Amino acid sequence: QRPHQHRPPQHPPQPRPPQHRRPRRDGRHPRRARAPAEFGQALPGFVMVAPLLLIVTLALLGLAMALHARLIVLDSAAEGARLGAYTSLDLARSRTSELISSALPREYGENIRAAYRDVGGVNVVEVTVVSPVPILGMVGLATMEVRAHAAVE
């Protein structure tokens, strides 16, 4: 080195600002290189998560079917009670059974009772339906009881 030549001071290298990756000439974007430990991790991750997602999905589907069946039975009982309020109890039972059987399997509308009751000094028709709760598909392992009332006219 020459004695009169000045040498710039050495600074540690500065990190480069992030650059936007440009597409390659063939139009594809460059991908990040995977670390060797990441190879083959997608399959075990899927195998661990898929059964959990399946169980949650089936549970939500079962809950939705149970709520659907309950709403059908409740609405049918209310319609039967309204019909029974101005006709007869036999028509209330048959209409309730007909409405339930049109939307759900026949065993959902087999146990129907209709009776006159006094609720708070008002004479009402009460329609009671005892039906299965669909747990696995439309197979019912438990029972639910639904009551509907309509004032006698």
Side-chain angles (χ1 to χ4, degrees):
Q1 185 176 19
R2 297 183 185 146
H4 64 288
Q5 193 175 20
H6 183 271
R7 187 174 196 193
Q10 295 290 327
H11 296 290
Q14 297 293 322
R16 294 185 353 191
Q19 298 176 351
H20 295 289
R21 294 182 183 202
R22 291 182 294 179
R24 296 192 287 198
R25 289 183 183 168
D26 60 0
R28 298 182 311 162
H29 285 279
R31 294 187 178 188
R32 174 180 69 91
R34 291 183 181 224
E38 291 183 20
F39 286 112
Q41 294 298 317
L43 183 62
F46 177 75
V47 168
M48 289 187 292
V49 172
L52 180 65
L53 288 176
L54 183 66
I55 289 171
V56 169
T57 302
L58 290 176
L60 287 174
L61 193 65
L63 177 65
M65 291 181 84
L67 288 174
H68 172 71
R70 184 180 182 282
L71 288 174
I72 294 286
V73 170
L74 180 62
D75 189 53
S76 300
E79 177 70 21
R82 283 190 293 271
L83 182 66
Y86 63 87
T87 59
S88 69
L89 296 180
D90 289 333
L91 283 175
R93 280 190 291 271
S94 65
R95 179 67 178 157
T96 302
S97 177
E98 176 187 330
L99 289 171
I100 292 173
S101 298
S102 69
L104 297 172
R106 187 169 303 282
E107 63 266 9
Y108 283 76
E110 289 178 349
N111 191 355
I112 300 171
R113 295 184 308 268
Y116 292 109
R117 299 272 187 247
D118 184 33
V119 176
V122 177
N123 196 17
V124 298
V125 172
E126 179 184 77
V127 175
T128 305
V129 180
V130 178
S131 67
V133 177
I135 296 175
L136 302 171
M138 280 295 172
V139 177
L141 301 176
T143 59
M144 65 177 162
E145 182 173 314
V146 174
R147 296 172 192 255
H149 299 93
V152 176
E153 297 180 18

PDB file of all heavy atoms in Angstrom, residues 59 86 90 145:
ATOM      1  N   ALA A  59     -70.445 -33.138  14.528  1.00  0.00           N
ATOM      2  CA  ALA A  59     -71.169 -32.667  15.712  1.00  0.00           C
ATOM      3  C   ALA A  59     -72.069 -31.483  15.360  1.00  0.00           C
ATOM      4  O   ALA A  59     -73.228 -31.409  15.795  1.00  0.00           O
ATOM      5  CB  ALA A  59     -70.190 -32.285  16.813  1.00  0.00           C
ATOM      6  N   TYR A  86    -110.633 -24.641  17.484  1.00  0.00           N
ATOM      7  CA  TYR A  86    -111.959 -24.333  16.911  1.00  0.00           C
ATOM      8  C   TYR A  86    -112.608 -25.545  16.239  1.00  0.00           C
ATOM      9  O   TYR A  86    -113.676 -25.424  15.659  1.00  0.00           O
ATOM     10  CB  TYR A  86    -111.889 -23.135  15.958  1.00  0.00           C
ATOM     11  CG  TYR A  86    -111.036 -23.306  14.734  1.00  0.00           C
ATOM     12  CD1 TYR A  86    -111.548 -23.854  13.575  1.00  0.00           C
ATOM     13  CD2 TYR A  86    -109.723 -22.883  14.746  1.00  0.00           C
ATOM     14  CE1 TYR A  86    -110.753 -23.998  12.468  1.00  0.00           C
ATOM     15  CE2 TYR A  86    -108.930 -23.014  13.630  1.00  0.00           C
ATOM     16  CZ  TYR A  86    -109.451 -23.580  12.492  1.00  0.00           C
ATOM     17  OH  TYR A  86    -108.662 -23.721  11.389  1.00  0.00           O
ATOM     18  N   ASP A  90    -109.477 -34.716  18.036  1.00  0.00           N
ATOM     19  CA  ASP A  90    -109.063 -35.738  17.057  1.00  0.00           C
ATOM     20  C   ASP A  90    -108.441 -35.094  15.818  1.00  0.00           C
ATOM     21  O   ASP A  90    -107.430 -35.576  15.297  1.00  0.00           O
ATOM     22  CB  ASP A  90    -110.255 -36.611  16.646  1.00  0.00           C
ATOM     23  CG  ASP A  90    -110.699 -37.543  17.759  1.00  0.00           C
ATOM     24  OD1 ASP A  90    -109.828 -37.898  18.597  1.00  0.00           O
ATOM     25  OD2 ASP A  90    -111.883 -37.912  17.787  1.00  0.00           O
ATOM     26  N   GLU A 145     -89.857 -33.831  24.444  1.00  0.00           N
ATOM     27  CA  GLU A 145     -91.289 -33.579  24.606  1.00  0.00           C
ATOM     28  C   GLU A 145     -91.552 -32.115  24.292  1.00  0.00           C
ATOM     29  O   GLU A 145     -90.901 -31.226  24.834  1.00  0.00           O
ATOM     30  CB  GLU A 145     -91.730 -33.899  26.025  1.00  0.00           C
ATOM     31  CG  GLU A 145     -93.215 -33.711  26.245  1.00  0.00           C
ATOM     32  CD  GLU A 145     -93.667 -34.190  27.614  1.00  0.00           C
ATOM     33  OE1 GLU A 145     -93.271 -35.288  28.020  1.00  0.00           O
ATOM     34  OE2 GLU A 145     -94.409 -33.434  28.254  1.00  0.00           O
TER      35      GLU A 145
END
